[in-house]
């Protein structure tokens, strides 16, 4: 009986901790909008050519971009390929055009030749292999 | 805020320069109504860098605590197992007659679950699927702890995604067995259910993060490396991630006190780790030998 009580107490504590974490979070989420807490980026990540507007860095807030750029691009791809809808801002081409910049030697190299390519810096850090560039160009037009 | 590269067409790459330190108060485009996490569709958020610092500190400390309990606890258990006398020669026959044979038998036992296979095909199927999938999933998670990531981890990393589903399948099968088979339900204790539910929740939250609501894994890896190198970095505060981590910490804490100890325990099972040679060599435990010497 004592063991059973111990289990229940342990289970309850675990649930309480999880609940508190979720509760606290939803009431007081990201401070991305304050801008005073820079995100971590792996060393060597190149800067973009320009901000998308005077107040915003990328086509979505960084909080969103950093999590969902893959989903956003895939969604736009489906819109474009299946329904012919163009003009949204989440195209791979758009990312490449703004983010892939010349290196210190003034060369703009493809992802296959440049370990410091914008896309590969984080994907290497997170051990994610992307197959976008087996077909698509990884350099701006 | 530094807008160092605004208006420029190109930017020299300088390692270590501040990147992405842009404010993003306003989200400029309203035409993206499809995603539930789009900030335009969330309530306004208070800034909370102190909240994030507290959260980071709590989870970092919990990780240290959980790692200590896991390592010391399992270490102590192994010490206990190694010292418990096995006074009788009781290998389950047919058993190997050489030490090499025993090593081979143990290898088959921990990789193929041979005795379970002979005992019950259904438990073996679900159990084996679960364990192999868990191994692949855990190996995939090595990428959060290594920088640079070892190349073989990069190679098997994508397989781990699908192993996640196999893991859920195996666990669900085992849970259904526990509930549906009356004989098994009768002998099931709360801890039996707890382990299955805990692992299912860990797998479920992980899969949700992989395929539905991703977290910022680059930021998370920075946090994890920071925990390992005692140089804390802020962690992402997505509820799913916090749930996933809380459950994993719970699993680590509970490991040395639960049935999960079958992992080190299998190596100390006398019925599996003994050589079947009672006629060739007399079996005397250490403490018994000491008594004989004294006499």
């Amino acid at each position: 009986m004592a063991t059973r009580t111990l289990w229940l107490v342990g289970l309850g504590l675990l649930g309480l901790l999880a609940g508190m974490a979720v509760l606290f979070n939803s009431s007081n989420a990201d401070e991305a909008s304050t801008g005073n807490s820079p995100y971590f980026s792996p060393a060597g990540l190149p800067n973009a050519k320009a901000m998308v507007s005077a107040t915003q860095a990328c086509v979505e807030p960084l909080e969103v971009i950093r999590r969902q750029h893959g989903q956003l691009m895939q969604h736009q791809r489906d819109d474009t390929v299946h329904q012919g809808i163009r003009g949204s801002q989440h195209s791979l081409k758009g990312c490449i055009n703004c983010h892939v910049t010349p290196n210190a030697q003034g060369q703009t190299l493809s992802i296959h030749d440049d370990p410091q390519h914008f896309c590969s810096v984080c994907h290497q850090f997170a051990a994610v292999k992307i197959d976008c560039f087996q077909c698509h160009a990884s350099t701006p037009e | 805020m530094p807008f160092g590269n605004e208006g420029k067409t190109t930017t020299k790459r300088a390692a270590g320069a501040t990147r992405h330190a842009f404010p993003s108060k306003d989200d400029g485009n309203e035409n993206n109504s499809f995603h539930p996490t789009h900030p335009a569709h969330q309530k306004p958020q208070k800034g909370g860098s102190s909240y994030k610092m507290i959260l980071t500190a709590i989870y970092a400390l919990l990780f240290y605590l959980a790692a200590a309990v896991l390592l010391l606890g399992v270490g102590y258990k192994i010490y206990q197992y190694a010292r418990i006398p096995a006074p009788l020669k009781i290998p389950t026959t047919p058993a190997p007659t050489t030490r090499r044979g025993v090593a081979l038998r143990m290898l088959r036992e921990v990789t193929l679950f041979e005795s379970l296979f002979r005992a019950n095909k259904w438990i073996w199927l679900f159990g084996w699927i679960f364990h192999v999938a868990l191994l692949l999933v855990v190996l995939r998670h090595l990428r959060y702890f290594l920088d640079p990531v070892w190349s073989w981890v990069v190679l098997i990393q994508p397989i781990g995604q699908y192993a996640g589903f196999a893991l859920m399948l195996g666990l669900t099968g085992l849970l259904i067995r526990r509930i549906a088979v009356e004989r098994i339900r009768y002998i099931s204790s709360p801890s039996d259910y707890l382990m299955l539910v805990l692992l299912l929740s860990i797998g479920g939250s992980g899969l949700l993060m992989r395929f539905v609501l991703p977290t910022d894994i680059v930021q998370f890896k920075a946090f994890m490396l920071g925990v390992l190198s005692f140089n804390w970095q802020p962690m992402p505060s997505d509820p799913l991630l916090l749930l996933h981590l809380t459950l994993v910490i719970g699993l680590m804490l509970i490991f040395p006190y639960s049935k999960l100890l079958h992992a080190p325990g299998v190596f100390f099972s006398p019925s599996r780790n003994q050589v079947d040679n009672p006629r060739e060599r007399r079996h005397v435990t250490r403490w018994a030998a000491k008594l004989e010497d004294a006499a």
Side-chain angles (χ1 to χ4, degrees):
Chain A
M1 227 47 240
T3 334
R4 201 190 178 97
T5 320
L6 210 65
W7 276 112
L8 287 176
V9 169
L11 203 65
L13 281 177
L14 211 69
L16 202 70
L17 196 63
M20 267 169 48
V22 172
L23 209 73
F24 270 99
N25 184 68
S26 60
S27 68
N28 200 355
D30 65 303
E31 79 278 15
S33 47
T34 67
N36 54 16
S37 155
Y39 294 96
F40 172 84
S41 297
L45 188 74
N47 280 328
K49 284 176 186 160
M51 304 220 335
V52 76
S53 74
T55 51
Q56 190 170 319
C58 202
V59 292
E60 295 290 339
L62 293 180
E63 192 83 347
V64 175
I65 281 290
R66 286 176 65 107
R67 288 168 172 75
Q68 297 177 330
H69 59 276
Q71 292 177 341
L72 292 171
M73 281 190 283
Q74 229 162 46
H75 183 75
Q76 156 132 12
R77 179 201 64 188
D78 291 349
D79 272 357
T80 305
V81 175
H82 298 167
Q83 296 167 36
I85 302 170
R86 291 181 183 275
S88 170
Q89 308 186 59
H90 303 140
S91 70
L92 174 64
K93 205 165 133 188
C95 305
I96 296 293
N97 280 343
C98 188
H99 278 290
V100 178
T101 54
N103 61 15
Q105 285 79 44
Q107 307 158 297
T108 308
L109 298 175
S110 85
I111 194 166
H112 310 293
D113 306 321
D114 187 3
Q116 304 268 284
H117 185 277
F118 173 77
C119 297
S120 73
V121 173
C122 289
H123 284 115
Q124 260 173 17
F125 183 69
V128 177
K129 274 197 176 157
I130 43 175
D131 54 7
C132 311
F133 303 111
Q134 288 170 12
C135 300
H136 293 278
S138 60
T139 47
E141 295 178 324
Chain B
M1 289 308 302
F3 300 144
N5 56 0
E6 194 181 358
K8 289 182 200 167
T9 49
T10 60
T11 311
K12 289 262 160 66
R13 294 173 193 179
T18 316
R19 284 170 293 265
H20 285 321
F22 304 113
S24 40
K25 286 197 181 74
D26 117 48
D27 55 326
N29 52 102
E30 314 297 339
N31 59 344
N32 300 293
S33 54
F34 80 98
H35 215 283
T37 58
H38 194 286
H41 308 284
Q42 293 177 336
K43 56 186 173 181
Q45 291 157 342
K46 293 174 245 169
S49 78
S50 65
Y51 160 74
K52 211 164 238 190
M53 277 168 62
I54 293 168
L55 194 71
T56 300
I58 289 175
Y59 274 89
L61 292 172
L62 278 176
F63 264 115
Y64 295 137
L65 174 73
V69 168
L70 179 70
L71 292 177
L72 294 176
V74 173
Y76 179 69
K77 275 293 169 187
I78 289 176
Y79 170 77
Q80 263 187 339
Y81 291 160
R83 282 178 54 94
I84 295 283
L88 303 174
K89 196 76 169 171
I90 49 166
T92 311
T93 52
T97 52
T98 59
R99 286 185 63 85
R100 177 191 292 248
V102 165
L104 200 68
R105 176 193 208 178
M106 195 56 92
L107 190 71
R108 287 200 310 272
E109 190 62 33
V110 298
T111 54
L112 305 173
F113 303 179
E114 186 181 43
S115 63
L116 186 60
F117 181 79
R118 287 177 183 158
N120 185 314
K121 296 291 186 284
W122 279 110
I123 312 178
W124 174 82
L125 181 69
F126 290 124
W128 190 79
I129 288 178
F130 159 69
H131 280 87
V132 170
L134 180 66
L135 176 68
L136 287 169
V137 168
V138 167
L139 290 179
R140 166 172 149 84
H141 280 74
L142 281 179
R143 68 194 178 126
Y144 297 116
F145 302 89
L146 303 165
D147 185 39
V149 183
W150 299 332
S151 56
W152 64 268
V153 176
V154 179
L155 210 66
I156 64 160
Q157 191 270 107
I159 307 170
Q161 299 173 34
Y162 307 107
F165 290 101
L167 178 138
M168 298 299 276
L169 176 84
L171 286 171
T172 309
L174 292 173
L175 187 61
I176 288 175
R177 158 183 172 264
R178 214 164 257 298
I179 295 168
V181 184
E182 198 185 353
R183 194 166 45 84
I184 306 296
R185 188 171 60 220
Y186 185 76
I187 59 165
S188 293
S189 65
S191 83
D192 295 324
Y193 293 107
L194 176 77
M195 290 313 152
L196 291 174
V197 172
L198 188 61
L199 286 162
L200 274 169
S201 318
I202 291 174
S205 54
L207 283 176
L208 278 175
M209 266 191 293
R210 171 60 189 84
F211 291 101
V212 183
L213 273 178
T215 184
D216 186 345
I217 60 168
V218 168
Q219 187 69 45
F220 175 70
K221 179 167 178 177
F223 163 75
M224 212 58 243
L225 292 177
V227 167
L228 292 180
S229 60
F230 296 96
N231 172 25
W232 295 354
Q233 304 296 322
M235 68 186 294
S237 56
D238 309 46
L240 258 182
L241 176 68
L242 299 184
L243 178 69
H244 190 68
L245 295 180
T246 307
L247 292 169
V248 170
I249 288 168
L251 186 72
M252 289 165 76
L253 288 173
I254 222 165
F255 196 99
Y257 306 96
S258 66
K259 64 188 287 193
L260 301 180
L261 281 169
H262 68 270
V266 64
F267 296 100
F268 296 94
S269 317
S271 55
R272 303 268 177 262
N273 71 7
Q274 289 187 347
V275 184
D276 185 14
N277 58 357
R279 286 179 183 79
E280 292 78 5
R281 292 181 58 179
R282 187 165 163 246
H283 178 71
V284 189
T285 45
R286 218 176 303 143
W287 58 270
K290 235 179 260 172
L291 290 179
E292 276 193 355
D293 289 345

